[in-house]
Amino acid sequence: MMEQPDSNSAKPLYKQLEASLKEAILRGEYKPGQQIPTENELSSQWQVSRVTVRKALDALTRENLLTRVSGKGTFVSNEKFQRSMTGIMSFSELCQSQGRRPGSRTIKSVFESVDNETSASLGMAEKEKAVVIERIRYADDIPVSLETIQLPPRFAFLLQEDLNNHSLYACLREKYGLWFTHSRKMIELVYASFEVAHYLGVSENYPLILIKSEMIDNKGELSCVSRQLIVGDKIRFTV
């Protein structure tokens, strides 16, 4: 059931309703394609004005979580991003190919120790630290994935780059003449930790798709190991 509003909260009522509806959708209380309660029903249930309800619905519509159909009502969006599991395409290219606005927020860009398997895959010496970049990836301002990129120390130049709302792939290709030609992938189902849930705007233990990739560059070297935690109901995969 949706959480009821708190009139003593400093958070505006429409924001409370927006958050409660979003949580209900992500929990699966409302399924893709399902009609949600009408403005009148939500207004009565929450004991707020229709203006408040409309502001919450408008915000969720801008996030592509809801679709409003004139004369019929408001429905949970069926739309997903489609990603091919073959070949190499950056997240930015994926969004742009589907008319979406890509975005990213860097939450880590450091030298960091990695596990022995990753170190060996990247051809690193014992105790050598890797370049680690972690970003939240957005499509039309909706958080879609949490991406961790691990590269050998020779990629230290990336630590000086502003990768907020910029494509890492494009940066490598256009400024440094490097690009990835193919990859090996492993996919599994995992559940969101408290921290990951916070970043992706989902509830703790929400099911996520984990894609681990080892990417080969245009020089024939395995130069990148990536880990993507993806909100699966936002992306459709093709093979």
Side-chain angles (χ1 to χ4, degrees):
M1 295 293 293
M2 285 177 27
E3 183 180 342
Q4 292 300 303
D6 178 5
S7 58
N8 295 318
S9 172
K11 191 174 186 180
L13 286 174
Y14 83 91
K15 279 293 191 183
Q16 293 184 51
L17 176 55
E18 177 189 340
S20 185
L21 278 169
K22 182 175 182 178
E23 178 66 15
I25 292 168
L26 295 176
R27 271 201 317 267
E29 186 175 332
Y30 297 115
K31 307 294 183 185
Q34 180 180 348
Q35 185 174 7
I36 68 167
T38 65
E39 288 185 6
N40 282 337
E41 289 169 338
L42 287 171
S43 177
S44 175
Q45 179 183 341
W46 271 63
Q47 297 184 338
V48 295
S49 71
R50 287 186 62 184
V51 172
T52 296
V53 172
R54 194 169 297 121
K55 287 176 71 174
L57 297 182
D58 285 344
L60 293 172
T61 301
R62 288 193 297 271
E63 286 190 33
N64 294 316
L65 287 173
L66 294 177
T67 300
R68 308 190 78 175
V69 181
S70 179
K72 293 187 177 180
T74 303
F75 301 80
V76 178
S77 178
N78 274 312
E79 193 168 8
K80 297 183 179 182
F81 303 102
Q82 183 162 307
R83 169 176 173 168
S84 172
M85 294 305 296
T86 61
I88 300 288
M89 176 182 282
S90 73
F91 182 85
S92 296
E93 291 169 333
L94 169 67
C95 287
Q96 290 163 354
S97 72
Q98 298 178 37
R100 301 306 179 91
R101 185 178 69 258
S104 61
R105 178 165 69 90
T106 302
I107 54 180
K108 181 190 291 185
S109 181
V110 296
F111 273 119
E112 191 171 75
S113 297
V114 294
D115 59 57
N116 292 336
E117 182 181 354
T118 301
S119 180
S121 295
L122 295 174
M124 294 166 49
E126 187 178 357
K127 296 184 179 179
E128 200 171 21
K129 292 187 176 182
V131 172
V132 178
I133 298 170
E134 190 170 62
R135 297 188 296 168
I136 304 170
R137 308 309 307 271
Y138 298 87
D140 289 344
D141 298 322
I142 302 171
V144 173
S145 74
L146 179 64
E147 170 189 86
T148 303
I149 300 288
Q150 299 169 318
L151 309 107
R154 65 180 181 275
F155 284 81
F157 55 83
L158 285 175
L159 300 180
Q160 307 303 316
E161 296 287 346
D162 178 8
L163 297 174
N164 290 302
N165 296 319
H166 291 90
S167 169
L168 184 148
Y169 284 16
C171 174
L172 286 173
R173 182 175 58 249
E174 295 167 7
K175 295 185 68 172
Y176 302 101
L178 290 168
W179 61 89
F180 302 116
T181 59
H182 59 284
S183 67
R184 298 189 292 265
K185 297 181 176 72
M186 184 194 75
I187 306 173
E188 63 179 297
L189 179 68
V190 297
Y191 298 92
S193 66
F194 176 83
E195 181 180 23
V196 170
H198 171 73
Y199 286 139
L200 294 179
V202 298
S203 57
E204 189 174 0
N205 294 318
Y206 192 84
L208 303 172
I209 297 170
L210 168 62
I211 301 180
K212 295 180 181 178
S213 303
E214 293 183 340
M215 292 184 279
I216 313 299
D217 64 26
N218 57 314
K219 296 181 179 180
E221 298 178 342
L222 197 165
S223 59
C224 178
V225 173
S226 77
R227 183 176 186 269
Q228 295 172 292
L229 290 166
I230 298 170
V231 183
D233 56 4
K234 295 288 182 286
I235 295 182
R236 178 185 295 112
F237 296 93
T238 61
V239 295

